[in-house]
């Protein structure tokens, strides 16, 4: 890597990097923020909502990590759409850094400089890196130190910023981003948490799962090392990751409206991204979807809007109007944004937070696959997971929906029906 390497990252956390000020706290659950069971670690996540305008909201879930010895604590977005850890450094004196916690390398007995390709180097010769996002950029140094998510700790490389532009970083309510994409997206394997998870990990299983809720009645969490059946209201099915970009990317066979195929997809792919606050996709397809769904700005047809579904792995993953429409009083806007990712990474759909609040997801870097199940939310009756019949070009109801629920109840799992 050359000195001051210029990287233009088309990372899927771009929507977070356009977050506006005026953040409203929607959910804070620290009483159960961290639990450990054997070698599985669950970290509670906090939801913040920023109002972009009277109908559109930007959302972010973030949690705690520590870096260094003795540990220094930071709040980060656990982002499946990027692959590096980026936190402010003590040498950064811009407003974007001083308004957040900064990593003090001199205060850590285990920290040392490395090159930004992960290679060891004399500290006086170490390079720097500049990362350009959509509306700003970060310049930083690369450091190796202990990184801990709860009680799960490992030595890893990360970026400690020397300079951050005020826009958009000064408005963030979190300190940094912990990338959880596949290793090929990281600066090198030493920067990749997924690589560390695969080699020398003490976790029960080399995978992680994400449960996101918009309710104060339950705790959103990311769990490393385990799949939590109490978060599932259906069976889980697995889909292989496609491509080599590093995104948790799977194929979409087609898009459905009220479970009927629309013949919109020839080679559609979607990246599952915890760091994106909306649904997103190629502008041409987004335009077609908007016209077919036809959300009225005055919400006059809100209660008659259709289910919007995506056929993945032979199942239809449906979103109800409440999942894909931003509704604020009598103002409605479809929660979909245009995102034209150029080849070879694109064209690409993005499943952001609205999708991830509806579906519990599991990420398996060893088998390179993503698991999907209907999320089990307290006080809500879950929808059935439908199987797509290509001969009928429509959905078929599951044949044994009760067996899964009965098994969970027999094992004293959390109730899955409204109460």
């Amino acid at each position: 890597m050359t000195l001051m390497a210029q990287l233009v990252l088309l990372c899927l956390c771009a929507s977070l990097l356009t977050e506006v000020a005026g953040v409203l706290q929607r959910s804070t659950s620290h009483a159960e923020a961290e639990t450990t069971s054997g070698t599985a670690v669950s970290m509670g996540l906090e939801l913040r909502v920023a109002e972009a305008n009277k109908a559109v909201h930007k959302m972010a879930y973030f949690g705690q990590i520590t870096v260094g010895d003795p540990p220094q604590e930071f709040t980060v977005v656990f982002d499946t759409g990027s692959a590096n850890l980026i936190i402010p450094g003590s040498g950064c004196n811009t407003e974007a850094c001083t308004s957040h916690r900064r990593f003090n390398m001199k205060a850590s007995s285990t920290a040392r400089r490395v090159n930004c390709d992960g290679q060891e180097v004399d500290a006086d010769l170490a390079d720097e890196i500049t990362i350009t996002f959509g509306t700003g950029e970060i310049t930083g140094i690369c450091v190796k130190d202990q990184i801990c998510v709860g009680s799960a700790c490992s030595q890893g490389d990360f970026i400690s910023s020397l300079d951050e532009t005020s826009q958009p970083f000064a408005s963030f309510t979190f300190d940094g981003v912990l990338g959880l994409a596949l290793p090929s997206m990281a600066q090198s394997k030493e920067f990749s948490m997924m690589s560390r998870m695969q080699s020398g990990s003490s976790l029960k299983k080399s995978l992680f799962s994400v449960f996101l809720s918009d309710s104060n009645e339950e705790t959103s969490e990311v769990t490393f090392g385990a799949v939590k059946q109490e978060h599932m209201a259906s069976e889980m099915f697995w889909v292989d990751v496609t491509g080599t970009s590093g995104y948790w990317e799977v194929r979409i066979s087609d898009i459905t409206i009220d479970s009927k195929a629309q013949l919109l997809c020839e080679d559609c792919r979607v990246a599952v991204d915890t760091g994106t606050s909306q649904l997103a996709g190629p502008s041409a397809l987004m335009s077609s979807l908007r016209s077919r769904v036809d959300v009225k700005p005055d919400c006059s047809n809100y209660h008659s809007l259709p289910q919007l579904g995506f056929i993945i792995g032979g199942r239809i993953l449906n979103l109800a109007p409440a999942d894909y429409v931003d509704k604020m009083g009598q103002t409605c806007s479809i929660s979909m944004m245009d995102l034209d990712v150029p080849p070879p990474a694109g064209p690409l759909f993005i499943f952001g937070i609205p999708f991830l609040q509806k579906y519990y997801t599991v990420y398996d870097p060893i088998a390179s696959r993503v698991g999907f199940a209907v999320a089990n939310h307290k006080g809500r009756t879950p929808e059935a997971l439908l199987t797509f019949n290509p001969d009928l070009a429509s959905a078929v109801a599951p044949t044994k929906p009760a067996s899964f629920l009965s098994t969970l109840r027999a094992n004293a799992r959390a109730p899955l029906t409204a109460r």
Side-chain angles (χ1 to χ4, degrees):
M1 177 176 291
T2 60
L3 294 179
M4 294 296 293
Q6 298 290 320
L7 297 181
V8 178
L9 298 186
L10 291 168
C11 72
L12 301 183
C13 58
S15 68
L16 276 178
L17 300 173
T18 60
E19 181 184 8
V20 298
V23 177
L24 304 175
Q25 183 169 330
R26 283 277 298 278
S27 173
T28 56
S29 301
H30 287 299
E32 298 178 276
E34 177 184 339
T35 59
T36 59
S37 176
T39 52
V41 177
S42 292
M43 296 297 296
L45 301 178
E46 190 172 308
L47 170 62
R48 294 289 178 92
V49 180
E51 292 188 3
N53 58 49
K54 61 183 178 180
V56 178
H57 301 82
K58 301 290 186 181
M59 295 178 285
Y61 288 86
F62 55 88
Q64 305 286 338
I65 65 167
T66 63
V67 181
D69 184 15
Q72 301 175 43
E73 189 174 89
F74 299 91
T75 58
V76 296
V77 172
F78 290 84
D79 180 25
T80 58
S82 64
N84 302 303
L85 170 61
I86 304 175
I87 53 176
S90 58
C92 179
N93 295 311
T94 64
E95 178 190 1
C97 290
T98 58
S99 60
H100 296 95
R101 281 172 282 196
R102 294 177 291 171
F103 177 70
N104 186 347
M105 184 174 173
K106 293 181 179 179
S108 175
S109 63
T110 50
R112 65 180 187 275
R113 286 282 303 274
V114 294
N115 265 339
C116 291
D117 59 1
Q119 298 298 312
E120 300 289 344
V121 69
D122 185 283
D124 295 331
L125 300 176
D127 60 7
E128 297 178 355
I129 186 170
T130 296
I131 300 177
T132 302
F133 298 95
T135 58
E137 68 178 27
I138 291 175
T139 296
I141 62 173
C142 297
V143 180
K144 182 183 293 292
D145 207 343
Q146 179 169 263
I147 302 169
C148 295
V149 179
S151 60
C153 300
S154 60
Q155 284 282 317
D157 295 356
F158 62 95
I159 298 167
S160 175
S161 62
L162 296 172
D163 182 73
E164 296 183 7
T165 56
S166 294
Q167 292 297 325
F169 306 108
S171 64
F172 286 179
T173 55
F174 48 87
D175 301 316
V177 176
L178 175 60
L180 298 176
L182 289 162
S184 59
M185 190 183 289
Q187 284 294 109
S188 71
K189 67 179 182 178
E190 289 80 9
F191 285 81
S192 169
M193 186 166 179
M194 293 301 96
S195 289
R196 298 195 296 275
M197 187 180 289
Q198 293 176 58
S199 61
S201 174
S202 60
L203 295 173
K204 185 184 301 182
K205 296 180 180 179
S206 295
L207 51 73
F208 69 97
S209 56
V210 176
F211 173 76
L212 300 183
S213 174
D214 61 356
S215 170
N216 293 326
E217 301 300 316
E218 51 191 358
T219 301
S220 300
E221 63 180 8
V222 56
T223 300
F224 294 90
V227 177
K228 290 194 169 183
Q229 288 193 333
E230 61 264 34
H231 289 322
M232 297 164 52
S234 74
E235 80 275 18
M236 175 162 286
F237 69 96
W238 294 91
V239 183
D240 290 338
V241 170
T242 62
T244 59
S245 63
Y247 296 134
W248 292 100
E249 170 193 316
V250 298
R251 292 196 180 278
I252 300 175
S253 300
D254 202 358
I255 298 170
T256 65
I257 293 179
D258 282 337
S259 298
K260 294 183 179 179
Q262 300 298 298
L263 303 179
L264 286 173
C265 283
E266 292 183 2
D267 183 28
C268 290
R269 294 170 290 144
V270 62
V272 188
D273 183 12
T274 58
T276 295
S277 63
Q278 293 179 291
L279 305 173
S283 56
L285 275 174
M286 287 293 98
S287 177
S288 179
L289 276 181
R290 289 188 191 99
S291 64
R292 296 187 189 205
V293 174
D294 191 27
V295 176
K296 302 297 185 186
D298 63 358
C299 304
S300 58
N301 67 339
Y302 179 78
H303 296 290
S304 61
L305 289 172
Q307 295 254 4
L308 176 62
F310 300 86
I311 304 173
I312 296 176
R315 281 79 165 180
I316 299 178
L317 301 182
N318 271 322
L319 297 177
D323 303 316
Y324 68 81
V325 175
D326 264 316
K327 186 175 186 294
M328 190 76 168
Q330 295 304 309
T331 303
C332 284
S333 172
I334 194 165
S335 183
M336 294 181 180
M337 62 182 181
D338 294 342
L339 182 65
D340 289 312
V341 179
L348 202 62
F349 278 88
I350 310 301
F351 280 170
I353 289 173
F355 176 87
L356 293 163
Q357 290 174 335
K358 185 72 173 286
Y359 294 96
Y360 178 62
T361 50
V362 181
Y363 306 81
D364 182 350
I366 300 294
S368 192
R369 60 182 185 167
V370 181
F372 299 91
V374 176
N376 174 37
H377 290 295
K378 184 178 180 180
R380 302 181 191 178
T381 302
E383 297 179 16
L385 184 62
L386 301 178
T387 299
F388 180 75
N389 186 332
D391 296 327
L392 300 176
S394 61
V396 176
T399 55
K400 296 181 180 180
S403 61
F404 181 81
L405 303 181
S406 299
T407 300
L408 290 188
R409 292 193 181 100
N411 290 327
R413 305 289 186 191
L416 299 182
T417 55
R419 56 185 179 180

